[in-house]
Amino acid sequence: MGRWVFYAPDRASDYWRSAVAGGAVVQHVRVAVIGSGFGGLGAAVRLRREGVTDFVVLERAGSVGGTWRDNTYPGCACDVPSHLYSFSFAPEPDWPRTFSGQSYIRAYLERVADTFGVRPHLRFHHEVMRIRWDAEALRWEVATSQGDFTADVVVSAGGALSDPRVPDVPGLETFPGEVFHSARWDHGLDLRGKRVAVIGTGASAIQIVPAIQPVVEKLTVFQRTPPWVMPRTDRAISSVERWLHRAVPATGSLRRQFLWAVRELQVGAFTKRPGVLGMVEVWAKANLAKSVKDPGLRAALTPSYRIGCKRILLSSTYYPALARPNVGVVASGLAEVRGSTLVAADGTEVEADVVVFGTGFHVTDMPIGERVVGAAGITLAEAWKDGMEGLRGTTAAGFPNWVTITGPNTGLGNSSMILMIEAQLEYLADYLRQLGRLGGGGGEAGERVALDARPSAVAAWNRRVQGRMSRTVWNTGGCTSWYLDAHGRNTTIWPGTTREFRRETRAVDLAEYDVIRAGAGVARVSAVAEETLR
């Protein structure tokens, strides 16, 4: 695994404190982290490196891994190069391929949990049911499926790709066969000889289709909008390369820096000069023509929007799979189900035994928002009813001591989200330092303090972000993507480089926050309510 710094786990007594409330024992921690994917594990490691051991990681499943635990569909792999898709503090010299598969990425996260002493902090099968800010005590009340906690600070690291989205299709309940989402793959089902329908053509679908095409009798892809697909230059990483990265770790770092720099240079085309991407379209169309000889199918697979408006997908096997005799493409979305008959919006009817939804996730309407009640007595979902807004993508007005990893406008269209996560972890670390300096260090001594993002600061940040967004390919490319919310606003993607975001989140600017002290909580709640509900 390279030269990782090892942190021995503390005894449970080192980070548990208990408070008695209403006759029931409620466990109090300095920090409660929600989720144990890259964001949650990264937060746990960073907390320990900051000397904070009084925390728990609440995980609704039975193991770590997040989206790399949940997505086990055939062909599941990352579309970001392996050496860029890892923590900078935990380099992996032994990646087996330039684009690694799901099982290896999940194993990497398990090793992170072991090596950095995170295991004692993990609380599996603890689904967060409700979180409420206690304005008098200046702490969060966290109710989980396995018991209750209170926490000075909550770090929400559930991620945007954690809750599958399945469209409400009329008649779906009448379908007699198996139906499941790609993120909930039914491995007990043998697809050999089955008629399978894949709904959607996103990143998961283009991996599933070539993986199952050789074994199914008939495969039908319901394509509402064709994606732009570029070749995937994947290969096995040689034993010599791996040996070199183990023996001379600097070579792995140089490889990572090169991959990062190339993607940083690409950002301008996406954010400032979308017209330049027309040259990339020529390459993408040549890739399509090489793989699909049938002119009718090729026409159906050719997008009508600017490349990059939706995420550019990488595959060298998707187009060849679609050209196989047992595969059909319906250039329309699924509109209705009548028993075993699937009816497309254009009237096409297809018989199927299995339906697989590759329809993405709740990204702009994260379900956790319904469970979080802030200082004004409203949920995060209610506060974000007109669109998600976060200060530097990390904190939200009216939700004191609440930090979101991969929050609003922190997504990327061409690089590794781990870079954004690490930038936010730096912000989290300084957030805790500021609380400590202000008297909210979490100990029994010292004044209790909370930080609440000022509505004016949140509004100013988001005006700036949306102003930059107006000229990007994601807003001007002529497509409708999952980057956009119900109001047509892009609340998902960061319109700049990862270097810029790292600079913007290097430290907490206290001028952007209201400092709440014990005893002033009630007055502050009314002010928050007035600002939020205005």
Side-chain angles (χ1 to χ4, degrees), residues 16-51:
W16 282 117
R17 282 181 290 136
S18 294
V20 178
V25 175
V26 177
Q27 295 165 327
H28 180 75
V29 291
R30 173 88 187 280
V31 182
V33 180
I34 304 172
S36 65
F38 269 99
L41 290 181
V45 173
R46 189 55 193 260
L47 288 172
R48 292 183 60 83
R49 294 175 74 181
E50 289 294 311

Side-chain angles (χ1 to χ4, degrees), residues 60 158-165 181 184 360-363 366-368:
R60 65 185 177 186
L161 306 182
S162 58
D163 292 282
R165 178 188 292 276
H181 190 277
R184 302 292 184 266
F361 300 84
H362 288 274
V363 176
M366 292 183 288
I368 188 67

Side-chain angles (χ1 to χ4, degrees), residues 9-18 27-31 48 52-57 117-123:
D10 295 308
R11 295 174 301 170
S13 59
D14 289 332
Y15 61 87
W16 282 117
R17 282 181 290 136
S18 294
Q27 295 165 327
H28 180 75
V29 291
R30 173 88 187 280
V31 182
R48 292 183 60 83
V52 178
T53 55
D54 183 8
F55 71 91
V56 290
V57 179
V118 174
R119 293 284 178 191
H121 303 274
L122 294 171
R123 297 295 176 267

